[in-house]
Amino acid sequence: MKDETGGKKITEFVGLRPKMYSYTVQGEKNPDSHHRAKGIATATSKKLRHQDYLDQLHLPHETLLTNRRIGYKLHQVHSIEVQKRGLCSFDDKRFLLDDGMLYYILFLPQFLKFGMLQ
């Protein structure tokens, strides 16, 4: 297992979705520097702060972030700007069953076969 903090204590952790989290480390001058946001371009994710993750956790809403990249189509180079869903605390691939404990990935064939999903 990888130690991302180098042995330092994590003082606050915010996990929104799998591979989308932020944490602060004890004794650091800039606590906003530790976060992961899979699916968001590195240049765009550098603008995100720990407070953005906290705001999303307490007041969930869908945010759109602008990703810019250079691409080509039919041998023509273009600057491409794409609006992507950014920080979001809604996990649309899993759901909570009636027992309140188990999460399952939605629409797997074995759940349809056993009648767990209708």
Side-chain angles (χ1 to χ4, degrees):
M1 180 176 263
K2 181 181 171 187
D3 183 13
E4 293 185 24
T5 62
K8 297 177 185 173
K9 293 182 181 179
I10 295 176
T11 56
E12 187 173 32
F13 178 84
V14 178
L16 297 177
R17 299 178 77 171
K19 298 182 183 178
M20 187 173 287
Y21 59 87
S22 175
Y23 59 89
T24 58
V25 177
Q26 183 180 16
E28 286 212 354
K29 294 177 184 176
N30 184 11
D32 294 334
S33 62
H34 305 285
H35 64 272
R36 299 282 184 266
K38 184 179 180 202
I40 299 174
T42 305
T44 305
S45 71
K46 286 182 182 180
K47 298 174 186 174
L48 297 174
R49 299 287 168 241
H50 185 71
Q51 188 61 42
D52 297 332
Y53 286 82
L54 283 172
D55 293 342
Q56 184 61 238
L57 182 66
H58 296 299
L59 296 169
H61 61 283
E62 193 167 312
T63 58
L64 294 176
L65 297 174
T66 304
N67 283 338
R68 293 181 182 93
R69 64 182 179 90
I70 297 174
Y72 67 92
K73 186 174 184 179
L74 299 174
H75 303 288
Q76 296 288 323
V77 178
H78 299 281
S79 175
I80 301 170
E81 186 173 294
V82 178
Q83 295 283 331
K84 290 187 77 175
R85 186 167 74 168
L87 296 180
C88 183
S89 60
F90 304 118
D91 191 1
D92 54 359
K93 295 180 182 175
R94 292 173 173 81
F95 65 98
L96 189 61
L97 293 178
D98 293 333
D99 63 1
M101 297 293 286
L102 298 175
Y103 286 91
Y104 287 102
I105 297 174
L106 194 56
F107 300 119
L108 288 177
Q110 61 264 30
F111 297 138
L112 294 172
K113 184 171 95 175
F114 295 115
M116 294 177 74
L117 298 174
Q118 277 113 18

